Amino acid sequence: MKNVVAGIASLCLVTPFALAQKPAQPVLGKRSAEVITDKSLQFKDLNKNKKLDKYEDWRLPVEVRVNDLLSQMTLEEKIGFMLISTTRMGGDNAFGPNASGARAQITSAFNEEDMVTTNNIFTRKPLPAPMMSAAGTTKGIMQAHLRHFILRANTAPRTIAEWANNLQALCETSRLGIPAIVASNPRNHITIDAAVGLSVGTTAFSKWPGELGLSAMHDLKLTREFADIARQEWSAVGLRKGYMYMADLATEPRWQRIEGTFGEDADWAANMIREVVLGFQGTKLGNGSVAMTTKHFPGGGPQEGGQDSHFDWGKFAHYPGGMFDYHVKPFKAAIEAGTSSIMPYYSSPKGKEFEEVGFSYNKAIIQDLLRKKLGFKGIVNSDTGPIEMMPWGVENLSLHQRYQKAIEAGVDIFSGTADPTILLETVKQGLVSEARINESVARLLKEKFELGLFENPYVDVEKAEKLVGNAEFQKKADLAHRKSIVLLKNDAKLLPLAPKTKVYFETYYDNGRNNNPISVLKPANNPAFEFVSTKEEADVVLVWLVPNGGGLFSSAGKSIELSLSKNRVDVKHINDLIKGKPSIIAVNFSNPWVLDELDGASTKTVLATFGATPEALLDIVSGAYKPTGKLPFTIPVSQKAVDENKSDVPGSQEPNGYALFKFGHGLSYQTGQ
């Protein structure tokens, strides 16, 4: 130990004052590793050599630990470290051939089956070569040296925590004992399009409004509280990395991923991203942090025609309004807040000074803009499958050449494949140097050390079961639901409704799977109103529309329309329903839907929701909570206005005549009467 301390002092890595302080012993979580004791302090012998290596010594600076471990890793171990793929729990068939069918009971056991597909998991088109989307767990850890995983499963917190502990125990038995890091898509929101790869949807975690709803709250303090609560839930079950949140802007109203954004305004989205990153990570990564992956650089919003770049018909981002820099603003905020990772999108820039290749291949975007100009020093994490599935602009390159170009551009870790073979061959063929590989692996190791995973990657299963989704957390989320609802119109001064009003409450949601999109709600636990079974019995009709374009992955490249009738709403039924009675229309906006098909004479009272609960909506209607929400984007006046919009320009800056309701609009009962 004296030699170690002398070495540190000679490098001026710690001060004499720091050496005089007794280090605080961290909690060591272990299953099979032996413990080394030095001066009454304990360390894990992760590489089983019965001596204290620098990377095992938690007293040393992270950089020293990283360099020591890097020097001990084989090339094969480094390459496995540069992949992040889906991992599956026992009984989990996410991304599999029967993913939409009946699901087995998910358990905390490992799924030991490789999942090899011959089709693109998003477009369902044939791949040029079979692709391993997920590896059998033990094989992935011990043979492919994988240590980064994406968990898609939606199951009980206890089960996730037990599985995460099993995974870390397996990693501990490996040659160097390097722990895993498990990522996930969002798990805390009410979401319409909860497709695999976008959101896990409604879970046992605390249930908050959708991302647009968080933005509509217009409450940065509560946004930070949301992120801190979610952080506690995630870390409690062993999820230490988020594939979120989207800093993309909702400037193209047809884009099929608007539901996951914080809206159209760059300055407001920057504020939201800053609070979310700080809430999940803290001011720096630590034992309780969840590392963020901010996406999709340099902004996925301005898609040509609103088509998404998961598909070849949507591979171009374009900037007809010359507002490229506007879309970068929220990413600057994420970088300033210390986001751990940034994910480039699949899109290829059209009509700019950049090379027309996907952003993961684009050196000017990653090296020149992100690294040099914006000063980002963290991890660049590709989106899922740019090498095998979405190689826009580099279709003519071999898989080896695609890896070469992406790594030269600055990508550190590749999402989507669990097979390191091609990347390993790329290095062995001399297309990429091992020195360049070391740069990426060092960044990835740094994140793990800072999160404290080398000391204790394990979680308390009992605590996880009690903490996730607890009543105190949900109470905060319930407030968020109420704050997220926007009062668009109250022209007839109908709201708030008087107590004991007879209300016919109908929801209309056609998800393409149920026989009847209509549900009549009669909440028994709401004493404010008398709920009735028919329109004829009612004093007031309340109808809640949930338009639905079918989801991102149902896209077929056809023109995207935002009229209600084009998004699974029977407009005739709705207009018949609201005629002849005082009516309240609530619309759930996962895109800026066009409302011009609704009977204008009957739409004097309109509310906007963004993934809210019925209880929250009724509290707004009754006045138990007065509306305070503000629109996170502009609602266009017509489909013609949508078709003529400039994709990179926020609706609030489109010409006069574009907007029915502008960004930031929102009434309350004090000012809206």
Side-chain angles (χ1 to χ4, degrees), residues 193-485:
D193 191 3
V196 171
L198 303 184
S199 170
V200 184
T202 303
T203 68
F205 291 61
S206 57
K207 299 167 184 64
W208 295 72
E211 290 91 328
L212 288 168
L214 288 183
S215 182
M217 296 189 313
H218 230 71
D219 186 334
L220 295 177
K221 181 176 181 290
L222 187 53
T223 298
R224 175 80 72 93
E225 289 182 90
F226 149 72
D228 182 61
I229 285 171
R231 173 196 64 78
Q232 295 175 59
E233 294 180 309
W234 282 53
S235 60
V237 300
L239 297 173
R240 300 299 302 279
K241 192 173 182 71
Y243 257 21
M244 57 200 188
Y245 275 87
M246 289 171 59
D248 309 293
L249 299 177
T251 55
E252 168 50 77
R254 293 167 292 187
W255 188 37
Q256 294 152 303
R257 300 195 67 176
I258 281 179
E259 187 178 24
T261 74
F262 293 121
E264 72 175 40
D265 186 83
D267 294 313
W268 181 249
N271 289 335
M272 291 293 296
I273 283 288
R274 182 180 299 108
E275 297 306 315
V276 165
V277 170
L278 290 172
F280 272 97
Q281 293 191 171
T283 53
K284 62 180 181 179
L285 292 183
N287 292 340
S289 300
V290 174
M292 290 283 95
T293 306
T294 305
K295 54 189 192 178
H296 303 86
F297 193 76
Q303 291 297 124
E304 194 171 35
Q307 303 289 349
D308 189 78
S309 56
H310 276 84
F311 311 100
D312 56 2
W313 53 78
K315 60 188 172 184
F316 287 115
H318 70 151
Y319 307 90
M323 296 188 72
F324 176 89
D325 291 340
Y326 186 78
H327 288 260
V328 176
K329 275 187 177 183
F331 294 95
K332 290 182 179 178
I335 293 167
E336 289 167 5
T339 189
S340 188
S341 302
I342 285 182
M343 178 183 288
Y345 210 27
Y346 305 113
S347 312
S348 172
K350 184 177 183 180
K352 277 294 293 181
E353 65 270 25
F354 303 110
E355 183 184 7
E356 283 194 6
V357 294
F359 289 130
S360 284
Y361 295 101
N362 207 306
K363 193 171 183 179
I365 293 293
I366 298 176
Q367 293 286 19
D368 298 343
L369 176 58
L370 181 60
R371 292 281 190 213
K372 294 177 183 176
K373 186 174 180 181
L374 301 183
F376 179 63
K377 293 179 171 56
I379 297 161
V380 174
N381 190 138
S382 88
D383 211 330
T384 300
I387 301 295
E388 303 87 354
M389 296 189 289
M390 280 74 80
W392 309 140
V394 297
E395 293 91 339
N396 61 322
L397 298 183
S398 69
L399 294 180
H400 300 92
Q401 290 170 327
R402 292 175 192 175
Y403 271 121
Q404 178 189 29
K405 187 171 179 64
I407 290 172
E408 286 178 350
V411 173
D412 295 310
I413 184 168
F414 293 90
S415 179
T417 183
D419 184 358
T421 305
I422 301 297
L423 179 52
L424 183 61
E425 290 173 355
T426 302
V427 179
K428 288 185 173 181
Q429 291 172 10
L431 297 176
V432 175
S433 70
E434 188 167 358
R436 172 63 188 86
I437 296 298
N438 289 345
E439 289 179 24
S440 291
V441 176
R443 291 189 185 105
L444 296 164
L445 285 171
K446 179 175 182 285
E447 180 182 66
K448 274 193 173 67
F449 278 114
E450 290 178 338
L451 288 169
L453 290 170
F454 279 86
E455 277 60 69
N456 186 15
Y458 298 100
V459 296
D460 183 331
V461 173
E462 302 298 330
K463 178 183 174 183
E465 189 170 39
K466 292 175 183 176
L467 184 137
V468 173
N470 71 63
E472 183 182 345
F473 288 173
Q474 191 55 49
K475 186 177 179 181
K476 283 284 186 183
D478 290 343
L479 173 63
H481 284 291
R482 285 149 181 80
K483 291 178 75 74
S484 74
I485 296 173

